[in-house]
């Protein structure tokens, strides 16, 4: 009987502690409003001189500055922490807590050339359990086309990473040749280290870019002019302005007249990676799945099996990394990977009106040859830029 009573007392004690913890959490949520009321009361009790001084400070700062400063600070914090823009319409009562993201760090050996063999294929294995809930449910898991992670659609919704407009797309593409990028791989900004992210944030602040806002063509060109002038202390040439306008069009495939914030952020992130990191360091960012697709692309172009392709073929490959966005390629029957060259039988080849056989002979006449390591170095930035699910081209290949 004594044992039963002690167990009951233990349960009651645990329940009391749980209630106390819940009350404490509720108190923390209410604390800011309570603190504001207390501060307001303290202010009313202050001297006349203090009130006059505070009034002068508020007048010099402007009436709306405190609210704008608070909202802007929160936006910059989300950007720094890699959370991006949080969904506005979301049931936060039933949401999962997003995982804490730790930005990568540069290692001493990052600048050394990695050993990526053309002949040695890599075995691709996905995780068996959902990255979020760590539960295995076989075919209902959605694999990422870039990394090894898999997810439940319900878990993605509760995390806020899968909205109504993207649920159908994920369902249709996750198990196809096109594939779907998870929220880690979809955000190119997460590839930046803390130092690189600080550099990008300083540039955006100096150019008066507001996190989360869409950019029109005038905004984009004005930003590019400011960045060029800050870096080189001279006006941006007309040729570079035309190139920036072409990049804007690539970031706005639907011709909406503006580019989304996430696409702009991904574009600036990949540009910064190209600027600050050598190609060997970028090559170390490739995942096994991306390396396998690159092998398939090179072997498809190397019709002579001599280990070399033409420079024109290498340039052509840059344009094909983005073929995953074509709706015609949602079928799994495509003979070559979505980031590799387009085969003659693929739907996208008929859309262009040209088959690789009509293009390759002209390219074969070029004298410059590129081997497998050179092919990776030339295309690494475009491979990384093709990670997001967006239809935008975050790095416009040269003509």
């Amino acid at each position: 009987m004594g044992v039963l009573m002690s167990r009951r007392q233990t349960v009651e004690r645990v329940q009391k502690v749980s209630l106390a913890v819940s009350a404490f959490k509720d108190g923390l949520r209410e604390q800011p409003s309570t603190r504001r009321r207390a501060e307001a009361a303290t202010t009313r009790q202050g001297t006349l001189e203090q009130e006059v001084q505070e009034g002068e400070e508020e007048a010099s700062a402007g009436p709306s500055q405190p609210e704008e400063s608070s909202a802007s600070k929160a936006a910059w914090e989300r950007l720094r922490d890699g959370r991006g823009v949080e969904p506005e319409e979301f049931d936060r009562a039933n949401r999962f807590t997003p995982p804490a993201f730790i930005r990568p760090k540069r290692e001493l050996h990052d600048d050394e050339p990695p050993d990526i063999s053309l002949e040695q294929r890599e075995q691709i294995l996905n995780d068996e359990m959902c990255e979020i809930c760590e539960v295995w449910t076989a075919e209902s898991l959605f694999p990422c086309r870039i990394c090894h992670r898999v997810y439940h659609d319900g878990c993605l919704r509760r995390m806020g990473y899968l909205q109504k407009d993207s649920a159908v797309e994920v369902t249709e593409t996750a198990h196809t040749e096109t594939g779907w990028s998870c929220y880690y791989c979809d955000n190119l900004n997460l590839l930046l280290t803390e130092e690189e992210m600080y550099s990008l944030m300083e540039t955006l602040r100096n150019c008066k870019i507001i996190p989360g806002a869409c950019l029109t063509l005038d905004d984009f060109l004005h930003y590019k002019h400011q960045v060029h002038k800050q870096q080189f202390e001279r006006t941006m040439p007309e040729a570079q302005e035309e190139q920036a306008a072409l990049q804007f069009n690539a970031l706005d495939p639907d011709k909406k007249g503006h580019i989304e914030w996430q696409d702009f952020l991904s574009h600036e992130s990949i540009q910064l990676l190209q600027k600050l990191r050598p190609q060997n360091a970028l090559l170390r960012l490739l995942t096994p799945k991306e390396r396998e697709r690159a092998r398939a692309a090179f072997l498809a172009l190397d019709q002579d099996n001599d280990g070399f392709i033409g420079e024109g073929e290498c340039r052509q490959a840059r344009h094909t990394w983005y073929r995953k966005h074509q709706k015609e390629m949602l079928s799994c029957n495509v003979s070559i990977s979505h980031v590799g060259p387009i085969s003659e039988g693929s739907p996208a080849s008929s859309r262009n009106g040209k088959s690789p056989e009509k293009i390759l002979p002209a390219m074969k006449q070029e004298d410059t040859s590129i081997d497998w390591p050179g092919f990776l170095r030339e295309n690494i930035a475009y491979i990384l830029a093709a990670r997001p699910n967006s239809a935008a081209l975050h790095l416009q290949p040269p003509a």
Side-chain angles (χ1 to χ4, degrees):
M1 187 65 178
V3 175
L4 293 176
M5 289 297 294
S6 62
R7 287 180 179 177
R8 184 180 302 173
Q9 292 173 356
T10 302
V11 172
E12 293 176 353
R13 186 174 302 172
V14 170
Q15 292 176 346
K16 291 180 181 180
V17 172
S18 300
L19 292 174
V21 171
S22 300
F24 177 73
K25 289 182 178 179
D26 295 337
L28 288 179
R29 296 191 187 99
E30 299 174 356
Q31 186 175 0
S33 59
T34 305
R35 183 183 301 172
R36 285 194 294 268
R37 290 196 299 268
E39 290 176 354
T42 304
T43 303
R44 289 194 296 268
Q45 295 176 1
T47 62
L48 178 61
E49 181 179 356
Q50 291 175 339
E51 292 180 359
V52 172
Q53 183 178 0
E54 291 175 356
E56 293 176 351
E57 292 177 354
E58 291 178 357
S60 60
S64 62
Q65 183 172 351
E67 294 182 0
E68 293 178 356
S69 176
S70 176
S72 177
K73 182 180 179 181
W76 286 112
E77 288 178 351
R78 288 196 301 269
L79 179 61
R80 179 198 62 200
D81 297 339
R83 289 180 291 166
V85 180
E86 295 182 355
E88 296 180 358
E89 297 180 359
F90 188 73
D91 184 9
R92 299 183 182 277
N94 297 321
R95 75 171 297 175
F96 286 157
T97 302
F101 180 81
I102 301 177
R103 290 193 173 273
K105 296 182 179 180
R106 294 290 307 277
E107 302 294 339
L108 296 176
H109 64 280
D110 281 354
D111 297 344
E112 300 177 1
D115 183 16
I116 305 178
S117 174
L118 177 62
E119 294 77 15
Q120 184 177 358
R121 309 301 293 269
E122 300 182 59
Q123 185 178 7
I124 305 300
L125 295 176
N126 289 325
D127 290 344
E128 296 183 352
M129 295 186 296
C130 174
E131 176 71 15
I132 299 174
C133 67
E134 298 184 351
V135 174
W136 177 82
T137 50
E139 293 299 327
S140 62
L141 290 170
F142 294 136
C144 175
R145 66 179 182 88
I146 303 298
C147 67
H148 54 82
R149 302 180 182 94
V150 293
Y151 300 86
H152 292 121
D153 59 339
C155 294
L156 291 172
R157 288 189 181 93
R158 295 192 66 182
M159 289 284 287
Y161 294 121
L162 188 61
Q163 304 301 309
K164 295 181 180 179
D165 55 349
S166 60
V168 177
E169 179 183 357
V170 172
T171 304
E172 291 181 349
T173 61
H175 294 285
T176 66
E177 189 77 15
T178 299
W180 162 81
S181 297
C182 69
Y183 54 86
Y184 284 110
C185 303
D186 181 64
N187 189 356
L188 296 178
N189 184 253
L190 300 184
L191 296 176
L192 301 182
T193 63
E194 291 185 1
E195 294 78 10
E196 293 166 343
M197 188 61 218
Y198 177 80
S199 174
L200 178 59
M201 289 177 62
E202 285 297 306
T203 301
L204 297 178
R205 285 179 186 272
N206 294 335
C207 296
K208 310 300 181 182
I209 297 296
I210 302 176
C214 299
L215 279 77
T216 64
L217 176 59
D218 292 338
D219 297 333
F220 188 74
L221 292 180
H222 180 69
Y223 167 78
K224 289 295 184 180
H225 274 283
Q226 285 186 303
V227 172
H228 188 276
K229 191 172 184 178
Q230 292 177 4
Q231 184 175 359
F232 301 102
E233 298 183 351
R234 64 175 183 269
T235 306
M236 186 171 65
E238 184 178 352
Q240 292 190 20
E241 182 177 354
E242 293 177 356
Q243 187 65 32
L246 291 176
Q247 179 62 65
F248 177 88
N249 293 332
L251 291 171
D252 181 25
D254 298 330
K255 308 304 178 185
K256 296 179 292 186
H258 66 268
I259 56 178
E260 302 294 335
W261 164 254
Q262 194 60 39
D263 290 327
F264 171 75
L265 183 61
S266 294
H267 167 69
E268 290 302 310
S269 299
I270 196 67
Q271 290 276 31
L272 188 63
L273 286 174
Q274 283 187 291
K275 177 182 175 181
L276 298 181
R277 296 196 199 181
Q279 288 176 322
N280 288 332
L282 295 180
L283 286 173
R284 295 185 178 276
L285 299 178
L286 291 178
T287 65
K289 291 183 180 180
E290 289 175 315
R291 292 194 293 266
E292 276 299 294
R293 291 172 183 139
R295 287 188 183 95
F298 185 86
L299 293 175
L301 291 170
D302 184 18
Q303 296 183 345
D304 299 335
N305 296 324
D306 59 354
F308 292 90
I309 63 173
E311 183 179 2
E313 294 172 313
C314 184
R315 288 198 303 267
Q316 182 69 15
R318 301 172 189 172
H319 293 264
T320 61
W321 300 117
Y322 300 98
R323 295 300 178 184
K324 63 184 176 65
H325 301 305
Q326 300 296 335
K327 294 182 179 180
E328 296 91 344
M329 295 194 66
L330 293 181
S331 173
C332 289
N333 297 326
V334 179
S335 59
I336 299 179
S337 174
H338 60 277
V339 292
I342 305 176
S343 63
E344 184 180 8
S346 66
S349 64
S350 60
R351 191 181 71 88
N352 293 332
K354 295 181 180 180
S355 64
E357 284 70 15
K358 296 179 181 179
I359 299 176
L360 292 179
M363 296 178 176
K364 282 295 184 179
Q365 296 176 1
E366 299 185 9
D367 297 331
T368 305
S369 298
I370 297 178
D371 59 0
W372 165 244
F375 175 80
L376 286 178
R377 289 193 300 269
E378 291 293 328
N379 289 283
I380 175 59
Y382 300 98
I383 299 175
L384 295 175
R387 285 185 176 185
N389 295 308
S390 170
L393 272 65
H394 301 95
L395 193 61
Q396 172 68 22

